[in-house]
Amino acid sequence: MARLIKGLDTKLIHSGEPEPLIGGAVAMPIFQSSTFEYGGQTSYHDLRYIRLNNTPNHLVLHAKLAALESAEAALVAGSGMAAISATLFTVLASGGHLIAQDCVYGGTHDLFVEDFPRYGMEVDFVDGDEPATWRQALRPNTKAIYVEAMSNPLLQVSDLQAAVDFAAENGLVSIIDNTFASPINFRPAEIGFDLSLHSGTKYLNGHTDIVAGAVIGRAQLVDNIKHTLDHLGGSLDPHACFLLHRGMKTLAVRVRHQNESALKIGRWLEQHPAVPRVNYPGLESHSNHLRACELFDGFGGVLSFELEGGTEAARRFMDRVTIPISAPSLGGVETLITRPATTSHSGMSPAERERAGIGDELVRLSVGLESSDDLIEDLETALSG
Ligand code: PLP
């Protein structure tokens, strides 16, 4: 009888796994072979070769990721940026134009403004909260709309359903970076997104020991993106596939803990007199809170905030915390703290950061799996110094 696989937690463990088990191995073995015996394939992209993203370690991940987000297909890539760039180079080929939410991950922003013009691609940024204004950005060559589930680092939640509807009305591809939500909190295909992208480096892997990316969505689009990725060479190594696979098995328990802990810390920070502003969509004070409640099953483990005393106070505070490690990235088991102006968003000019609302004083906290009480005590001591 076929295995009963319904809930997300069951999918994480069993979807896409080989049947029968390979040599009886309960954990997926690593196929550390660059090439595989020729099997009569007629398409170049079907040859079995690591760069073509189709070893057994890739295929199990593709099936699991697609099942997790209730989508038709998935593809892993060598990094989140490899997934994002291969997707956009495919969708915007031949001088396409993109409408993008105005506050996105710094690396994505830099790709849009630095690399796009060199390849004849164009971007216009829009306010993700104001769908009525998006129409003005439409051009004859507009091919796609791009949003983030929760924006990095301000945790804004754009009108995601409006983005899907706008794309459908105007013949565009709807693309979302779902890294911050993870499939546990949000499955974009369920509300009609064509493509969902991930930095697998973050929650999907969760252990801060690899870089990886993923593209999940409509089969024809994913196949086209695979062809681009095959040519660009941004494949994921089988050993990294194995680590991503292993990490994903605990995704649900990790993310649910992080949802709970970040909300507790956000509530605590919000009532602290030295903290004038906290950005976390799970807080009633967040301007997109109601929308986030409608869309998401949880609000993720990342929050950002400002301190009384500005940048100097933020620096002092970051020097004094003892549990959070000062490092870019997020979504791992360790709590990380950073000022995005100096790390994830340092490629943007000060004027671009100011336009996007990312001040030098903004602190971003990625809540890990430590005890929330220990974290709160640590933050309290650092704030009172
Ligand atoms: N998307 C988001 C939301 C990110 O935060 C990041 C990295 O921080 C990326 C994409 C890029 O991912 P990677 O570093 O795996 O290339």
Side-chain angles (χ1 to χ4, degrees):
M1 258 209 317
R3 182 173 269 129
L4 175 78
I5 303 178
K6 279 198 202 154
L8 271 181
D9 303 69
T10 314
K11 287 180 180 177
L12 279 167
I13 308 299
H14 294 295
S15 282
E17 297 293 326
E19 278 184 45
L21 295 172
I22 298 164
V26 172
M28 178 76 187
I30 307 175
F31 285 79
Q32 198 68 51
S33 178
S34 59
T35 189
F36 290 71
E37 211 169 16
Y38 179 63
Q41 293 90 338
T42 49
S43 160
Y44 168 75
H45 297 281
D46 294 336
L47 294 172
R48 309 285 304 284
Y49 186 66
I50 290 178
R51 176 168 49 74
L52 303 178
N53 272 298
N54 55 16
T55 75
N57 293 101
H58 293 98
L59 300 182
V60 65
L61 282 170
H62 296 167
K64 198 181 290 290
L65 284 163
L68 275 181
E69 290 202 354
S70 315
E72 291 172 8
L75 170 71
V76 288
S79 68
M81 286 312 301
I84 293 168
S85 56
T87 296
L88 292 170
F89 280 116
T90 306
V91 172
L92 305 181
S94 316
H97 168 251
L98 178 72
I99 296 177
Q101 169 186 344
D102 52 9
C103 179
V104 290
Y105 165 59
T108 307
H109 175 272
D110 297 348
L111 174 79
F112 293 171
V113 302
E114 287 176 27
D115 299 292
F116 272 20
R118 294 195 277 131
Y119 297 98
M121 289 146 55
E122 301 171 305
V123 63
D124 268 311
F125 291 104
V126 295
D127 183 338
D129 239 356
E130 298 288 345
T133 64
W134 300 349
R135 192 159 293 281
Q136 293 153 23
L138 272 175
R139 298 189 201 169
N141 59 336
T142 305
K143 294 281 196 290
I145 181 163
Y146 186 100
V147 290
E148 290 185 353
M150 302 174 197
S151 72
N152 183 355
L154 295 173
L155 286 308
Q156 291 159 346
V157 183
S158 288
D159 193 335
L160 303 183
Q161 188 61 63
V164 169
D165 297 342
F166 182 78
E169 281 157 24
N170 296 288
L172 312 180
V173 179
S174 50
I175 308 174
I176 183 166
D177 181 330
N178 197 32
T179 301
F180 269 49
S182 92
I184 303 308
N185 291 328
F186 186 51
R187 293 156 299 282
E190 291 177 0
I191 71 158
F193 271 99
D194 296 311
L195 291 171
S196 156
L197 308 177
H198 285 268
S199 168
T201 315
K202 312 296 190 306
Y203 290 103
L204 289 181
N205 175 58
H207 291 74
T208 327
D209 49 13
I210 57 163
V211 283
V215 180
I216 308 172
R218 298 202 191 281
Q220 186 58 59
L221 285 167
V222 172
D223 195 46
N224 295 345
I225 295 162
K226 177 187 170 331
H227 286 203
T228 306
L229 194 69
D230 288 350
H231 295 153
L232 293 177
S235 65
L236 191 65
D237 176 81
H239 190 252
C241 286
F242 168 82
L243 289 173
L244 176 59
H245 186 172
R246 185 170 72 164
M248 275 174 56
K249 291 190 182 167
T250 55
L251 181 68
V253 284
R254 285 188 281 107
V255 168
R256 289 193 193 114
H257 177 103
Q258 285 163 311
N259 286 342
E260 211 176 288
S261 193
L263 182 59
K264 194 167 166 188
I265 292 168
R267 287 201 201 292
W268 177 83
L269 279 170
E270 194 174 40
Q271 55 69 48
H272 199 288
V275 185
R277 183 183 171 84
V278 182
N279 305 307
Y280 186 67
L283 296 174
E284 289 75 8
S285 58
H286 190 284
S287 56
N288 304 132
H289 176 64
L290 292 180
R291 181 181 295 150
C293 290
E294 274 169 29
L295 289 164
F296 304 145
D297 297 332
F299 308 102
V302 179
L303 41 84
S304 60
F305 51 93
E306 291 168 16
L307 298 182
E308 211 63 73
T311 308
E312 204 30 61
R315 275 205 201 101
R316 236 187 0 259
F317 170 74
M318 285 176 57
D319 281 346
R320 286 176 55 85
V321 290
T322 66
I323 301 177
I325 299 168
S326 172
S329 202
L330 56 105
V333 295
E334 318 79 1
T335 296
L336 300 183
I337 193 164
T338 194
R339 280 194 301 124
T342 63
T343 55
S344 56
H345 291 70
S346 58
M348 292 167 83
S349 69
E352 284 168 334
R353 277 200 300 272
E354 194 182 321
R355 248 196 323 276
I358 306 166
D360 281 357
E361 69 283 10
L362 188 75
V363 175
R364 189 185 74 191
L365 189 74
S366 168
V367 177
L369 297 186
E370 303 92 340
S371 131
S372 325
D373 291 341
D374 288 358
L375 284 168
I376 288 174
E377 189 179 328
D378 196 36
L379 300 181
E380 166 82 89
T381 311
L383 278 177
S384 60

